[in-house]
């Protein structure tokens, strides 16, 4: 009801619920910021997702290339062989089916039974399928894993830098708050504080205690 005047009364009940859910989601995101470790995990995961996305696109491009090659070179030899499954006989009839086969074979490690009769009849095709498997499993998978770890490490370093910056800002703020307090405890007005004045003020002034505690300075350090 509150939102209706803003949007000209075009919102229905479901639209309002969706808006309220988005508001709740934004509050949840702000709440995550209260937990630095959880925030670091989420930021690292988000950075890793970017690396995984690009790695997935690279893998799709590689498998698509081999799928086209298989359609042009393998299908004519494969369709005349005796396969137990109909899918194996038609695995290389078009690019889409060939692409699906290479996902199952090179990524998941399945469907080797589809190409066993082909390799037994024409052994040189083993070089093609073994090349795809090695490129994906030993090459591209490891590169994607390395990129994911690197991105997570970069996110951790950024989080550490942000924490240090926040800590430095908090320390500078506390130092600004300490100036009027130091002026008050300078009893002789000399512009310099003696150890006795500082200790006496620390024991009696809660503001000074709180400010120094935030700077990780206790009475023994004074």
């Amino acid at each position: 009801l509150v939102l209706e005047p803003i949007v000209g009364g075009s919102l229905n009940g479901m639209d309002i619920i969706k808006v309220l859910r988005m508001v709740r989601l934004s509050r949840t995101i702000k709440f995550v910021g209260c937990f630095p470790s959880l925030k670091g995990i989420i930021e690292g995961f988000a950075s890793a997702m970017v690396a995984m996305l690009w790695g997935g696109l690279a893998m799709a491009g590689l498998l698509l290339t081999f799928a086209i090659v298989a359609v042009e070179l393998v299908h004519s030899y494969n369709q005349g062989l005796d396969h137990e499954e109909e899918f194996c006989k038609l695995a290389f009839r078009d690019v889409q089916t060939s692409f699906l086969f290479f996902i199952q074979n090179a990524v998941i490690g399945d469907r080797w039974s589809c190409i066993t009769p082909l390799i037994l009849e024409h052994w040189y095709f083993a070089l093609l399928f073994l090349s795809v498997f090695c490129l994906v499993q030993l090459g591209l998978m490891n590169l994607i894993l390395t990129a994911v770890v690197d991105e997570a490490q970069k996110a951790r370093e950024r989080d550490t830098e942000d924490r240090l910056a926040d800590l430095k800002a908090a320390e500078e703020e506390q130092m600004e708050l300490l100036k009027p307090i130091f002026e008050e405890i300078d009893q002789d007005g000399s512009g310099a504080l003696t150890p006795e004045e500082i200790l006496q003020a620390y024991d009696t002034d809660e503001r000074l205690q709180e400010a120094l505690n935030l700077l990780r300075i206790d009475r023994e350090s004074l």
Side-chain angles (χ1 to χ4, degrees), residues 7-93:
V7 296
S10 60
L11 283 178
N12 56 32
M14 290 302 299
D15 292 331
I16 295 175
I17 292 176
K18 292 178 181 179
V19 171
L20 293 177
R21 286 178 178 175
M22 293 299 296
V23 173
R24 184 183 302 174
L25 178 61
S26 64
R27 291 180 178 177
T28 303
I29 295 174
K30 293 180 180 179
F31 179 74
V32 169
C34 299
F35 300 93
S37 298
L38 179 59
K39 180 182 177 183
I41 292 174
I42 294 176
E43 289 179 351
F45 180 75
S47 299
M49 284 295 294
V50 175
M52 286 187 284
L53 174 62
W54 286 111
L57 292 176
M59 183 179 297
L62 178 65
L63 294 181
L64 182 62
T65 300
F66 279 105
I68 296 173
V69 172
V71 170
E72 297 296 329
L73 300 181
V74 179
H75 178 61
S76 59
Y77 294 92
N78 182 67
Q79 63 180 352
L81 299 176
D82 184 19
H83 292 284
E84 296 181 359
E85 299 182 40
E86 186 67 19
F87 174 82
C88 297
K89 184 176 181 180
L90 303 175
F92 308 106
R93 64 177 179 179

Side-chain angles (χ1 to χ4, degrees), residues 18-192:
K18 292 178 181 179
V19 171
L20 293 177
R21 286 178 178 175
M22 293 299 296
V23 173
R24 184 183 302 174
L25 178 61
S26 64
R27 291 180 178 177
T28 303
I29 295 174
K30 293 180 180 179
F31 179 74
V32 169
C34 299
F35 300 93
S37 298
L38 179 59
K39 180 182 177 183
I41 292 174
I42 294 176
E43 289 179 351
F45 180 75
S47 299
M49 284 295 294
V50 175
M52 286 187 284
L53 174 62
W54 286 111
L57 292 176
M59 183 179 297
L62 178 65
L63 294 181
L64 182 62
T65 300
F66 279 105
I68 296 173
V69 172
V71 170
E72 297 296 329
L73 300 181
V74 179
H75 178 61
S76 59
Y77 294 92
N78 182 67
Q79 63 180 352
L81 299 176
D82 184 19
H83 292 284
E84 296 181 359
E85 299 182 40
E86 186 67 19
F87 174 82
C88 297
K89 184 176 181 180
L90 303 175
F92 308 106
R93 64 177 179 179
D94 54 44
V95 176
Q96 180 179 351
T97 309
S98 181
F99 182 73
L100 176 61
F101 166 81
F102 278 113
I103 291 177
Q104 295 176 323
N105 179 255
V107 180
I108 303 176
D110 195 11
R111 294 290 186 181
W112 285 101
S113 59
C114 283
I115 56 176
T116 299
L118 178 65
I119 293 175
L120 291 176
E121 188 71 23
H122 308 283
W123 64 268
Y124 41 86
F125 282 122
L127 300 176
L128 172 65
F129 296 107
L130 289 176
S131 297
V132 179
F133 185 80
C134 290
L135 284 173
V136 172
Q137 292 293 336
L138 302 181
L140 197 54
M141 285 291 194
N142 287 325
L143 289 176
I144 294 174
L145 179 60
T146 301
V148 168
V149 173
D150 288 343
E151 289 297 328
Q153 181 65 27
K154 291 178 182 178
R156 181 179 179 182
E157 292 175 355
R158 289 193 298 267
D159 181 64
T160 302
E161 292 175 356
D162 291 340
R163 292 187 189 183
L164 292 176
D166 292 340
L167 182 60
K168 184 177 180 181
E171 291 179 350
E172 292 177 353
E173 181 180 355
Q174 292 303 316
M175 291 299 295
E176 290 295 327
L177 294 176
L178 283 173
K179 289 182 180 180
I181 300 177
F182 286 156
E183 292 176 355
E184 292 179 9
I185 64 178
D186 185 17
Q187 298 177 357
D188 56 7
S190 61

